[in-house]
């Protein structure tokens, strides 16, 4: 079982955080919703209030094996503006595992972390992507220790790909079957 932190900022895309959290928790992973806010509450891009498990300052990232960056606006902009979130992104890209969906992979590009990698994002958010990084087809892509996805319609598959990264294809297939998701 892995410890997973889903980093949340006001304005995140609801399904891009909660669908992966659901998939991973179904598999028994220790998933925490961690906000960059001073208090453990955030509001989604669609005005839904979410109580988080911890704040960025409270959570123990030393024991964490994966961080997830959901997209949405202005959630992605808010995550990118937080230096601690950017520091964690650099650390997890180089030493552990990371997932980013929708607009959030643009953070990886802006931090110079996508050279020589395969990654996708929401159409129109690829401005800082290095040439040749982004496949033409939308979807979910795994490249070594990172998983990226194109947008909200891929949120469940994104969660399953994160699970596969952590526990292998058999675990992901088992959870997908239980959710009636064709894979």
């Amino acid at each position: 079982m892995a410890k997973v932190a889903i980093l949340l900022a006001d304005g995140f895309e609801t399904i891009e955080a909660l669908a992966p959290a659901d998939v991973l928790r179904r598999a028994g992973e220790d998933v925490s919703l961690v906000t960059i806010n001073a208090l453990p509450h955030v509001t989604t891009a669609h005005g839904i209030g979410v109580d988080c498990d911890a704040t960025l300052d409270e959570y123990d990232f030393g024991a964490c094996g994966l961080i997830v960056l959901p997209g949405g606006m202005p959630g992605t902009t808010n995550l990118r503006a937080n230096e601690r979130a950017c520091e964690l992104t650099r650390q997890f890209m180089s030493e552990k595992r990371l997932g980013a969906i929708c607009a959030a992979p643009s953070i990886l590009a802006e931090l110079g972390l996508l050279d020589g990698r395969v990654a996708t994002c929401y159409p129109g958010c690829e401005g800082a992507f290095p040439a040749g990084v982004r496949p033409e087809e939308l979807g979910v892509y795994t490249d070594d220790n990172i998983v990226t996805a194109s947008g909200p319609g891929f949120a469940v598959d994104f969660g399953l790909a994160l699970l596969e990264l952590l526990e292998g294809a058999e675990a992901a297939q088992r959870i997908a079957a239980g959710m009636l998701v064709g894979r």
Side-chain angles (χ1 to χ4, degrees):
M1 176 173 66
K3 284 190 72 155
V4 178
I6 300 178
L7 303 187
L8 301 180
D10 285 327
F12 74 91
E13 180 64 47
T14 314
I15 194 170
E16 294 172 359
L18 299 184
D22 180 85
V23 168
L24 293 167
R25 284 184 178 176
R26 285 172 189 263
E29 305 301 326
D30 181 0
V31 179
S32 295
L33 302 178
V34 180
T35 180
I36 67 168
N37 294 345
L39 298 175
H41 184 81
V42 345
T43 304
T44 74
H46 303 288
I48 300 168
V50 176
D51 290 327
C52 295
D53 301 301
T55 66
L56 204 58
D57 294 332
E58 298 169 335
Y59 188 77
D60 176 14
F61 286 95
C64 184
L66 168 71
I67 62 169
V68 179
L69 309 175
M73 287 296 180
T76 298
T77 303
N78 292 334
L79 280 178
R80 176 62 176 99
N82 184 285
E83 188 49 45
R84 177 73 173 128
C86 291
E87 176 186 307
L88 288 164
T89 298
R90 288 182 194 98
Q91 176 190 354
F92 277 73
M93 279 287 293
S94 69
E95 301 171 11
K96 298 184 181 186
R97 298 176 182 116
L98 186 136
I101 184 171
C102 194
S106 68
I107 297 171
L108 309 179
E110 290 172 12
L111 294 175
L113 302 174
L114 291 181
D115 289 330
R117 304 301 289 262
V118 173
T120 190
C121 65
Y122 193 82
C125 294
E126 67 278 355
F129 270 50
V133 167
R134 186 168 175 259
E136 288 185 29
E137 189 173 330
L138 299 177
V140 179
Y141 293 88
T142 301
D143 183 348
D144 190 32
N145 66 328
I146 66 167
V147 177
T148 57
S150 302
F154 297 98
V156 170
D157 286 335
F158 176 63
L160 291 166
L162 293 170
L163 178 58
E164 185 170 339
L165 182 67
L166 292 170
E167 304 293 344
E170 186 177 311
Q173 288 293 342
R174 185 181 77 254
I175 297 303
M179 295 176 68
L180 304 180
V181 175
R183 268 193 103 187

